[in-house]
């Protein structure tokens, strides 16, 4: 639940639209045996990869369909779904395909079901939208490879800035964005900037289009958006509270924050549980600490300035969570935490989740069964990493979701998983085989000796902290 909106409970059916190579759908299925997962993608190569990963892991509660949005919208044989998810897809498809997506939701989302949708958003993309058009249309002049088009588009935008184009003088942020773009990978830039059907949306656009699918806005899926005390001044909160219309209020929130990417939950006929029921759900919710308490920052820089965590509240909560995953009810039975008001402990947990220090976890019941399944898919993921793929997430039986790791950590994990004696040598060989340049403080590391020294330092950090985190969430 979020902001009091009820969510589906019990065994669930889950549809991911535009599932790509199926990593997310496979992880969700492996880590949640009671969820029936369907992934759909138009690209046959993606579907083949997704099915191969499911087969390698022996995951039986997931299937992958090769369908267009139009085909899926016209399929009357699909079962109803409790959850329909689409990450980013809505920003990169045509208006006609957005209509097909809304029809899929209208026909197949169960009453009480939820839609997760993420998309590029205005006003944060206001300057970026012009850069996107310059890169796409300017880069297309003369054709050539994707890299050539990107170079041509970036060159055109850079030349306009040199010539003091009024767009850049009136939008200083655009110049800063342009500087960042030059350091991003060609794959990311091509996906984000060269797509012919690229779109950004105001929240009202999304609310109107999804309204045709008979769903309404429930809450932001970005928990940081719920931290109003950190995001807004007193006067800004008063302004927001004075706006009765949710669509206008979300527009004002986005304007105050200059939001460039939204993650939203829409619901079909979901009710609001009674306050007593909400408290019971909170007490039963389990949480897992993702960092050692000593590494958790005690001062946070927020929109409203620097915020210091109240030691009397956060120290006992962190110390108790360090002993292992706990429900809020279990936390409140700890002697030190029990001195706090229930609202203080609940607010502290929510804030720690927002910071990424704590993650929501599944119930302890069934974790052993989930661990067998996640071990199988993680072994399949490691095999793909050893074969040269870059996969930055592993399945957790504790959280029921993926745990992200950085590029070096995935290689060290692969070496750890398979018992490599010389982990540094293994990672160095992998980097060379992939043609990847090892960097330290932004500069390339030259020579094998220097590379080994840097990797040895990175291995120390991995074994000291990362591996302990992965053990805490059941990945290893």
């Amino acid at each position: 639940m979020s902001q009091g909106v009820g969510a589906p409970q019990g065994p669930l059916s889950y549809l991911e639209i535009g599932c790509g190579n199926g990593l997310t759908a496979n992880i969700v299925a492996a880590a949640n045996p009671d969820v029936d997962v369907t992934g759909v993608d138009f690209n046959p190569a993606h579907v083949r990869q997704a099915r191969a990963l499911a087969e390698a892991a022996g995951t039986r509660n997931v299937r992958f369909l090769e369908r267009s949005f139009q085909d899926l919208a016209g399929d009357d044989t699909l079962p109803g779904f409790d959850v329909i998810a689409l990450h980013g897809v809505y920003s990169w498809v045509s208006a006609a395909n957005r209509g097909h997506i809304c029809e899929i939701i209208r026909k197949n989302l169960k009453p009480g079901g939820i839609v997760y949708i993420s998309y590029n958003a205005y006003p944060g993309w206001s300057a970026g939208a012009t850069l996107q058009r310059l890169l796409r249309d300017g880069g297309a002049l003369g054709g050539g490879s994707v890299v050539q088009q990107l170079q041509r588009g970036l060159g055109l935008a850079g030349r306009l800035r040199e010539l003091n184009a009024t767009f850049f003088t009136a939008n200083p942020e655009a110049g800063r964005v342009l500087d960042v773009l030059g350091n991003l990978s060609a794959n990311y830039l091509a996906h984000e900037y060269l797509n012919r059907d690229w779109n950004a949306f105001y929240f009202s656009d999304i609310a109107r289009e999804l309204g045709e699918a008979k769903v309404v806005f429930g809450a932001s899926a970005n928990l940081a958006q719920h931290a109003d005390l950190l995001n807004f001044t007193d006067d800004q909160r008063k302004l927001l509270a004075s706006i009765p219309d949710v669509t206008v209020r979300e527009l004002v929130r986005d304007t105050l924050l200059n939001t460039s990417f939204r993650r939203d939950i829409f619901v079909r006929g979901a009710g609001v549980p009674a306050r007593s029921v909400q408290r019971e759900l909170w007490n039963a919710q389990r949480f897992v600490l993702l960092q050692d308490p000593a590494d958790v920052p005690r001062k946070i820089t927020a929109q409203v300035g620097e915020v210091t965590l109240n030691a009397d509240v956060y120290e006992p909560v962190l110390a108790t969570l360090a002993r292992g995953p706990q429900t809020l009810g279990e936390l409140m039975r700890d002697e030190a935490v029990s001195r706090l008001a229930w609202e203080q402990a609940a607010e502290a947990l929510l804030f720690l989740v927002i910071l990424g220090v704590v993650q929501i976890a599944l119930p302890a019941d069934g974790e052993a069964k989930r661990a067998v399944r996640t071990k199988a898919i993680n072994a399949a993921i490691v095999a793909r990493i050893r074969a040269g793929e870059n996969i930055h997430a592993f399945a957790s039986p504790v959280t029921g979701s993926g745990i992200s790791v950085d590029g070096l950590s995935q290689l060290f994990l692969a070496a750890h998983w398979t018992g490599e004696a010389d982990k540094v040598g293994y990672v160095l060989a992998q980097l060379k085989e992939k043609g990847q340049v090892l960097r330290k403080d932004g500069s390339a590391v030259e020579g094998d000796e220097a590379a080994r020294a840097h990797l040895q330092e990175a291995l120390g950090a991995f074994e000291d902290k990362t591996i302990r985190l992965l053990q805490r969430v059941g990945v290893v």
Side-chain angles (χ1 to χ4, degrees):
M1 53 184 290
S2 180
Q3 290 193 336
V5 177
Q9 303 292 320
L12 303 175
S13 52
Y14 171 102
L15 171 67
E16 183 178 357
I17 301 174
C19 67
N21 62 12
L23 179 63
T24 299
N26 269 300
I27 286 177
V28 169
N32 298 272
D34 293 332
V35 177
D36 183 41
V37 177
T38 301
V40 181
D41 201 88
F42 179 70
N43 188 322
H46 286 165
V47 173
R48 179 185 58 79
Q49 287 180 301
R51 289 173 175 169
L53 182 58
E55 290 169 5
T59 308
R60 302 303 177 204
N61 58 318
V62 62
R63 64 171 178 160
F64 293 96
L65 306 176
E66 181 195 331
R67 304 278 180 83
S68 69
F69 298 130
Q70 184 175 7
D71 290 341
L72 201 64
D75 189 340
D76 294 325
T77 67
L78 291 174
F81 295 98
D82 299 289
V83 180
I84 297 179
L86 50 154
H87 177 61
V89 173
Y90 216 72
S91 286
W92 300 312
V93 297
S94 66
N97 275 319
R98 295 201 304 274
H100 295 318
I101 289 172
C102 289
E103 180 65 5
I104 294 165
I105 294 170
R106 188 192 67 79
K107 288 175 60 176
N108 299 289
L109 185 68
K110 295 178 182 178
I114 66 173
V115 175
Y116 166 83
I117 180 172
S118 62
Y119 51 95
N120 292 330
Y122 290 126
W125 260 98
S126 296
T130 298
L131 287 178
Q132 188 272 339
R133 187 57 63 90
L134 284 170
L135 262 65
R136 192 192 73 185
D137 292 359
L141 291 173
S145 68
V146 168
V147 172
Q148 289 172 325
Q149 291 183 47
L150 287 170
Q151 291 173 341
R152 192 179 298 119
L154 288 169
L156 175 59
R159 183 59 178 152
L160 284 167
R161 180 169 60 171
E162 291 173 1
L163 295 174
N164 294 317
T166 303
F167 167 74
F168 283 101
T169 57
N171 297 279
E173 179 63 20
R176 290 190 285 271
V177 172
L178 184 58
D179 289 334
V180 171
L181 295 184
N183 296 317
L184 297 178
S185 72
N187 285 339
Y188 170 80
L189 289 174
H191 179 67
E192 186 66 79
Y193 285 85
L194 298 188
N195 194 314
R196 180 62 55 182
D197 291 312
W198 184 95
N199 293 281
F201 302 92
Y202 291 100
F203 170 77
S204 55
D205 299 331
I206 300 296
R208 182 184 67 255
E209 293 187 10
L210 265 63
E212 297 296 319
K214 299 178 66 175
V215 294
V216 298
F217 179 65
S220 172
N222 179 2
L223 288 178
Q225 293 286 331
H226 299 275
D228 285 1
L229 290 174
L230 301 180
N231 291 326
F232 306 112
T233 65
D234 289 343
D235 288 340
Q236 290 171 340
R237 292 198 300 276
K238 289 176 183 176
L239 172 62
L240 289 167
S242 72
I243 302 172
D245 184 83
V246 64
T247 302
V248 177
R249 187 164 61 248
E250 289 301 306
L251 171 63
V252 173
R253 289 177 68 92
D254 288 343
T255 304
L256 289 169
L257 298 172
N258 197 34
T259 303
S260 60
F261 192 75
R262 285 191 64 115
R263 298 193 293 272
D264 290 334
I265 298 292
F266 282 76
V267 298
R268 170 170 287 172
V272 178
R275 182 68 64 178
S276 59
V277 175
Q278 292 186 38
R279 184 156 176 156
E280 289 176 9
L281 292 171
W282 261 101
N283 281 331
Q285 181 59 61
R286 193 168 175 236
F287 300 87
V288 60
L289 183 64
L290 300 184
Q291 297 181 16
D292 289 333
D295 295 330
V296 176
R298 268 50 176 184
K299 291 187 177 181
I300 311 298
T301 301
Q303 292 283 121
V304 297
E306 190 174 78
V307 177
T308 301
L309 301 187
N310 184 339
D312 292 338
V313 173
Y314 284 89
E315 297 304 334
V317 170
L318 288 169
T320 305
L321 282 175
R323 296 199 291 268
Q326 309 259 340
T327 65
L328 175 53
E330 290 167 342
L331 272 172
M332 292 304 300
R333 290 195 288 272
D334 178 83
E335 182 179 356
V337 179
S338 66
R339 299 190 183 101
L340 305 175
W342 183 90
E343 291 78 9
Q344 285 180 301
E347 184 178 79
L349 281 171
L350 177 60
F351 187 55
L352 291 171
V353 171
I354 288 170
L355 293 178
V357 171
V358 166
Q359 188 161 325
I360 293 170
L362 294 177
D365 185 36
E367 189 170 300
K369 177 182 177 182
R370 298 194 300 268
V372 173
R373 293 164 55 92
T374 56
K375 182 177 181 180
I377 194 169
N378 287 336
I381 289 172
V382 166
R384 288 195 168 191
I385 291 172
R386 290 179 66 86
E389 293 188 37
N390 290 316
I391 303 179
H392 297 274
F394 295 86
S396 165
V398 177
T399 67
S401 62
I403 299 296
S404 297
V405 296
D406 59 58
L408 280 182
S409 292
Q410 67 167 284
L411 294 176
F412 282 130
L413 181 57
H416 172 86
W417 192 282
T418 54
E420 294 285 343
D422 181 8
K423 295 181 177 62
V424 167
Y426 168 80
V427 172
L428 183 58
Q430 285 281 308
L431 292 172
K432 286 182 177 180
E433 185 175 328
K434 296 177 181 181
Q436 295 180 352
V437 177
L438 187 63
R439 293 186 175 277
K440 182 178 182 180
D441 300 328
S443 301
V445 178
E446 303 289 348
D448 282 1
E449 186 176 346
R452 276 188 167 275
H454 177 61
L455 288 173
Q456 191 64 51
E457 182 180 344
L459 175 61
F462 173 81
E463 292 180 335
D464 181 49
K465 293 185 177 180
T466 305
I467 198 72
R468 285 192 288 168
L469 159 64
L470 296 174
Q471 290 169 339
R472 188 176 294 144
V473 296
V475 172
V476 295

